[in-house]
Amino acid sequence: MNITTPLKEYTMSPSLFFLLTPLVLLFIIKRFSKSYKNLPPGPRPLPIIGNLHQVGKNPHVATAVLAQKHGPLISLHLGCKLLIVASSPEVAVEILKTQDRFLSSRFVPDALRIKELPYTIIWSPDCNENWRLLRTICRNEMFSVKALESQSSLREKKLTEMLDFFSSRKGQVVNIQEALFATAFNTLSNIFFGQDFLDLKDESGTASVLKEKLFMILKNGVSPNLSDFFPVLKWLDLQGLRKQNVNHLKEVFDSWEGITNERRSAAGSEKEQCFLDRLIECGFSNDRINIFAMELFIAGTDTTTSTIEWAMAELLKNEKAMLQLQEELKHNIKSEISNLPYLNACIKETLRLHPPAPLLLPHRSIQVCEVMNYTIPCGAEIFVNVWAIGRDPKLWEDPLLFKPERFLGSNLDFKGQDFEYIPFGAGRRMCPGLPSAITSVQSILASLILRFEWVLPGDQDPLKLDMTEKFGVTLQKEIPLQLIFKPLNNHI
Ligand code: HEM
């Protein structure tokens, strides 16, 4: 037997030695540096990888479990990266309100740290002037009461198209996620670009390539990446995520270039105005427009879709809630939809149990500060586990049950003031798309209930509907909801 072969395999190659030595040194320097004293508690990290092995595929669940052991503010070491996770309303107030000034920067994943993205809103590392401008434009031109009113006929049109699509598929099994997504996507593409991007009936066209690319950009951004865990390796982009994103971005931006140029040359014509025209008037370059559009599509479509899908799944499982909602809608068919208490309670309850962004988006500290008497070093990545807060038995009675009535007669709202319930975040980085998201969810959910009876295929028992979550770009239902729609005679 040749014993030299296995030995040879275990001898460290010079390149591996040069790779690992800086990592070990960095690990040691960080662990014993002054700003790393008095960190929030957490599980003991292993050398080099830290707590990477403890985060797993569902970090919102893993960190909620760790919080039960170590308390509502924990620190984790992912390679060289320090992660701070908050899991109680008291800590969330400190992070998103008291220390918001120091903690509302973004941690930008390496896959999105690319020169093609200079003017972003979501991934703006600081709350800088450009970020402020984009938020103001969102607030005034896209999501204000006036803007939403002006979008109402367009939203109605996209909703009708979706309802007609489901009617045309009567008796057939439909994957509702795809149709909901196409509706959310086309609503936004019409508001922004004045045209449809997806075909409800045809998923194979070039438009679905656009959807795929946008999805991949964000997926690469949220995927575990060695460049984030070990910044010394950044330049190597070992998993190629940054490189892939540069290519995806180019393809997406190229596909929009023609539309923008056309609108530029048609400026001042009688054509119906869209958001793009406003941006052109404000002097936005094509690059800036592309980036803004890309971010709104990424932030606004999957989140809205998954909220509606989860609401439908919960209503199917909870017959009593479904019947109560059907009654409310039937008896108030002419009422303002935003004033229907049970509908709104169902939406709130869905967002409590299934927040699309269970850890919000990653914040970053720009200065050493104190939270709950612990030190948060500069540059730490910070998450607030709103999923864990929403299921905390100390805050919610029967936390795992879908009970919309808990919100009836209660002032508890998701507008960022009640820290036990913050599915849209709070503070400076709070979601600017909230009014648009809620308008879409209300109208789509109400219409689907009024127009159809929902039947699970194959005589499935609704009580046994699988509710497993999949953590990814948003918190999705792992097994997409499939339904047969039977048209009813109600009219909206
Ligand atoms: C149910 C639907 C939605 C939910 C639950 C949701 C939730 C969130 C959350 C949790 C954040 C991060 C907050 C933080 O980091 O502290 C966020 C950010 C953001 N959302 Fe939403 N969102 C939804 C829909 C939308 C829509 C429809 C749009 C626009 C079309 C949108 C645009 C944005 C933008 C631009 C940001 C980044 C804000 C910033 O970094 O300053 N969202 N959203």
Side-chain angles (χ1 to χ4, degrees):
M1 194 170 66
N2 184 354
I3 55 158
T4 56
T5 321
L7 259 182
K8 227 176 165 184
E9 274 174 17
Y10 287 104
T11 309
M12 197 184 274
S13 72
S15 50
L16 193 61
F17 175 79
F18 283 116
L19 207 73
L20 285 181
T21 308
L23 294 185
V24 175
L25 283 174
L26 232 123
F27 179 80
I28 295 169
I29 293 167
K30 280 215 152 180
R31 290 283 291 134
F32 296 99
S33 76
K34 205 169 139 221
S35 65
Y36 270 55
K37 295 265 181 294
N38 190 34
L39 287 181
R44 212 183 167 76
L46 294 176
I48 303 186
I49 63 164
N51 307 105
L52 263 173
H53 61 298
Q54 286 163 306
V55 175
K57 276 204 320 206
N58 285 312
H60 59 301
V61 182
T63 51
V65 172
L66 289 170
Q68 282 170 0
K69 183 165 178 209
H70 299 279
L73 185 65
I74 58 169
S75 51
L76 295 167
H77 301 264
L78 305 189
C80 297
K81 184 164 79 164
L82 174 67
L83 203 76
I84 306 286
V85 190
S87 306
S88 78
E90 294 76 22
V91 189
V93 176
E94 290 265 314
I95 289 176
L96 302 171
K97 191 172 174 188
T98 319
Q99 303 284 12
D100 194 30
R101 211 151 46 99
F102 304 127
L103 303 179
S104 54
S105 286
R106 271 270 179 260
F107 179 87
V108 185
D110 189 63
L112 292 166
R113 210 171 292 162
I114 34 193
K115 68 172 182 354
E116 283 77 2
L117 287 179
Y119 309 114
T120 91
I121 176 166
I122 307 178
W123 300 109
S124 175
D126 311 306
C127 298
N128 55 31
E129 215 171 290
N130 177 68
W131 169 85
R132 256 190 291 276
L133 171 73
L134 294 177
R135 291 216 41 133
T136 308
I137 293 178
C138 276
R139 197 173 50 244
N140 297 343
E141 312 271 344
M142 192 103 178
F143 307 127
S144 64
V145 177
K146 194 167 152 228
L148 288 176
E149 264 167 29
S150 73
Q151 298 159 6
S152 65
S153 61
L154 198 155
R155 284 175 183 275
E156 187 108 19
K157 187 163 168 238
K158 295 299 124 192
L159 177 60
T160 308
E161 282 171 15
M162 186 193 76
L163 297 173
D164 291 348
F165 170 73
F166 286 141
S167 295
S168 74
R169 295 282 192 274
K170 109 176 134 190
Q172 296 175 28
V173 179
V174 280
N175 177 334
I176 62 144
Q177 209 177 68
E178 277 169 14
L180 290 172
F181 184 86
T183 305
F185 206 86
N186 280 344
T187 306
L188 187 56
S189 72
N190 274 276
I191 294 170
F192 201 109
F193 287 103
Q195 57 180 264
D196 278 350
F197 280 165
L198 294 183
D199 184 349
L200 267 171
K201 299 178 200 81
D202 169 30
E203 278 294 304
S204 58
T206 47
S208 59
V209 176
L210 169 69
K211 168 182 153 188
E212 192 66 28
K213 297 283 161 201
L214 284 170
F215 177 79
M216 284 308 296
I217 293 168
L218 192 57
K219 185 159 181 275
N220 285 344
V222 298
S223 295
N225 187 353
L226 283 170
S227 302
D228 289 322
F229 303 140
F230 305 107
V232 280
L233 303 179
K234 253 189 219 169
W235 61 281
L236 289 168
D237 187 21
L238 285 169
Q239 290 155 264
L241 299 177
R242 192 173 353 111
K243 187 158 170 255
Q244 281 174 27
N245 268 359
V246 171
N247 295 333
H248 294 326
L249 277 174
K250 189 171 167 350
E251 281 184 59
V252 171
F253 292 179
D254 283 352
S255 75
W256 289 339
E257 203 72 9
I259 308 173
T260 308
N261 288 339
E262 212 176 284
R263 301 291 299 205
R264 274 190 200 284
S265 25
S269 73
E270 295 294 293
K271 247 185 164 177
E272 205 176 318
Q273 291 277 300
C274 59
F275 189 58
L276 175 59
D277 299 312
R278 277 296 295 139
L279 296 180
I280 292 171
E281 270 169 37
C282 293
F284 271 53
S285 67
N286 284 16
D287 272 356
R288 251 180 133 170
I289 290 170
N290 290 337
I291 296 165
F292 199 10
M294 186 258 307
E295 295 201 284
L296 292 182
F297 278 106
I298 281 178
T301 48
D302 248 358
T303 44
T304 310
T305 308
S306 79
T307 305
I308 302 170
E309 190 186 15
W310 279 117
M312 293 174 77
E314 289 290 2
L315 286 166
L316 277 161
K317 248 183 124 87
N318 295 278
E319 198 187 3
K320 201 173 133 250
M322 174 69 114
L323 289 173
Q324 191 166 341
L325 181 54
Q326 282 169 340
E327 280 305 299
E328 181 182 79
L329 292 169
K330 270 189 233 157
H331 290 115
N332 296 282
I333 223 154
K334 300 245 171 332
S335 305
E336 185 61 48
I337 204 164
S338 55
N339 295 335
L340 299 181
Y342 202 70
L343 173 66
N344 288 314
C346 288
I347 296 170
K348 283 183 176 172
E349 183 68 339
T350 303
L351 286 166
R352 177 185 71 83
L353 280 168
H354 311 286
L359 295 167
L360 302 181
L361 290 173
H363 288 223
R364 184 177 62 98
S365 53
I366 46 162
Q367 194 173 304
V368 180
C369 60
E370 297 261 305
V371 171
M372 311 300 270
N373 295 325
Y374 291 109
T375 304
I376 309 294
C378 178
E381 183 175 356
I382 296 153
F383 286 109
V384 178
N385 193 338
V386 294
W387 180 89
I389 297 175
R391 289 169 180 237
D392 187 340
K394 293 196 281 306
L395 303 168
W396 309 92
E397 201 187 303
D398 297 330
L400 301 185
L401 298 186
F402 184 77
K403 285 169 93 178
E405 12 329 297
R406 69 175 90 237
F407 285 101
L408 293 177
S410 145
N411 289 330
L412 204 65
D413 213 340
F414 37 50
K415 294 191 178 144
Q417 304 301 322
D418 305 310
F419 286 81
E420 61 269 53
Y421 183 58
I422 44 170
F424 291 93
R428 281 165 214 229
R429 287 289 186 158
M430 187 178 163
C431 176
L434 187 158
S436 166
I438 293 302
T439 305
S440 300
V441 177
Q442 283 167 339
S443 60
I444 294 177
L445 193 58
S447 310
L448 285 173
I449 287 178
L450 279 170
R451 281 282 289 268
F452 301 102
E453 183 193 339
W454 310 346
V455 181
L456 286 166
D459 290 331
Q460 267 181 73
D461 179 357
L463 289 174
K464 295 196 182 131
L465 194 62
D466 188 290
M467 303 293 266
T468 313
E469 302 166 331
K470 188 172 81 182
F471 184 91
V473 168
T474 54
L475 195 62
Q476 298 275 350
K477 207 172 156 302
E478 183 167 67
I479 302 174
L481 185 60
Q482 306 236 354
L483 283 182
I484 299 167
F485 286 109
K486 290 191 177 167
L488 298 169
N489 290 328
N490 299 315
H491 283 290
I492 312 156

